[in-house]
Amino acid sequence: MTISQDAAAPLIVIVGATGAQGSSVIKALEESDRPYRMRGFTRSTSKPEAVELVKRGVEMVDMDVNPTQENKQRVSQAFEGATYVFAVTVPAVTTNKEREVSEGQMFVDAAKAAKVELFVWSGLENFSEVSGGKYIHADHFDGKAIEEWPGGESELLACADTLTPAELVSILSDITRKTVKFVPLTNEQFIGRAIASGRSEHAAMAMLDMFRSADEFGYYGGKDLAPSQKGLARKPRTWPEFIKANLEEFNRILA
């Protein structure tokens, strides 16, 4: 179904509409049999991805999400009239955790003020808490662990299954019929390679603690995936399904 322009249709605000998550939300809603109006946030409505969304019927809004007082007011105005909101923040790997938490809180406050019926927050586990303080550098996870919402919360763990790196590689090798090996690195090797590739030491440490915490305590901190996914109209795609859907690209990369 095409995106609706009917004022009677529910309005959905999508933060980061031209990004990977926001654009996939728009695509999924377009495939729904229900009509929705859509309003998307972007840093620049002139970039090609935003222009294309306008052609598809999305109302695009230039929005600086740095949580200044002026921007908080603009976000609140853009949330007015919304039935649903999908929100995601800029990763703390490139900024800082405090900035990301403030950004997320700005969206929460604006959604409360607008009295939206459903606020979908693209969050992550707080690895500092999950690990009991053992892994404290994964700011891009901790900064998304915002849990304040009136009337209770429900959680969707959007993952078909949890696999180890060795299992991921084994499945990839089986499906592509290519020789793919998992080669573990020491912490020092990982940090060195990350910095050599252009990442800052802060970003390298954040990535390392992300992998270490997920390996030791689980990506979702040991939570069971199944209960949160009951009633979903479409289940999360499995790793084998993803590979098969993108087999040509995988074969090109592994050639």
Side-chain angles (χ1 to χ4, degrees):
M1 179 176 288
T2 57
I3 297 169
S4 178
Q5 303 302 317
D6 186 344
L11 172 63
I12 302 179
V13 174
I14 302 101
V15 176
T18 59
Q21 293 191 49
S23 60
S24 68
V25 169
I26 292 172
K27 183 177 183 295
L29 291 171
E30 279 185 299
E31 295 171 355
S32 169
D33 58 358
R34 299 181 180 181
Y36 296 104
R37 290 180 293 141
M38 297 189 204
R39 179 179 296 152
F41 284 13
T42 181
R43 294 187 188 92
S44 173
T45 53
S46 62
K47 62 183 179 181
E49 298 89 345
V51 172
E52 177 60 30
L53 287 175
V54 171
K55 291 178 181 178
R56 285 159 57 186
V58 180
E59 175 195 354
M60 295 300 294
V61 179
D62 276 307
M63 188 62 69
D64 181 353
V65 295
N66 184 24
T68 64
Q69 190 58 42
E70 180 182 356
N71 289 339
K72 288 178 181 180
Q73 293 175 352
R74 293 191 66 234
V75 168
S76 292
Q77 291 170 355
F79 277 17
E80 289 179 1
T83 309
Y84 313 115
V85 168
F86 171 83
V88 63
T89 51
V90 176
V93 165
T94 55
T95 55
N96 59 73
K97 181 171 65 177
E98 290 71 26
R99 150 69 193 269
E100 188 168 11
V101 170
S102 296
E103 188 179 315
Q105 192 62 56
M106 172 177 66
F107 296 140
V108 171
D109 292 343
K112 286 180 182 178
K115 295 182 172 56
V116 303
E117 294 181 15
L118 178 66
F119 178 77
V120 179
W121 171 252
S122 181
L124 293 169
E125 297 296 325
N126 187 323
F127 277 168
S128 292
E129 292 184 2
V130 167
S131 69
K134 186 174 183 179
Y135 302 116
I136 60 173
H137 298 292
D139 288 352
H140 57 307
F141 269 65
D142 296 356
K144 286 185 171 62
I146 298 174
E147 300 175 348
E148 181 184 347
W149 189 247
E153 305 161 7
S154 59
E155 185 175 56
L156 167 62
L157 307 180
C159 177
D161 43 33
T162 53
L163 302 170
T164 66
E167 289 170 332
L168 290 168
V169 167
S170 176
I171 293 169
L172 178 61
S173 185
D174 288 343
I175 294 176
T176 61
R177 299 184 183 275
K178 306 285 186 181
T179 301
V180 187
K181 296 181 179 180
F182 169 58
V183 181
L185 300 176
T186 65
N187 294 343
E188 292 74 19
Q189 288 173 325
F190 181 92
I191 292 294
R193 293 192 182 189
I195 292 174
S197 70
R199 291 178 172 84
S200 67
E201 184 176 355
H202 171 83
M205 281 300 302
M207 293 172 63
L208 178 61
D209 270 13
M210 171 188 72
F211 287 122
R212 291 196 295 180
S213 184
D215 181 58
E216 185 172 346
F217 298 99
Y219 188 84
Y220 293 110
K223 295 175 183 175
D224 184 6
L225 300 177
S228 78
Q229 297 178 4
K230 288 182 179 179
L232 284 182
R234 185 167 60 187
K235 298 296 183 182
R237 181 182 286 183
T238 65
W239 175 232
E241 289 171 345
F242 179 77
I243 296 172
K244 291 173 183 177
N246 297 277
L247 191 56
E248 183 177 340
E249 184 65 12
F250 275 109
N251 284 333
R252 183 190 66 81
I253 294 170
L254 299 172

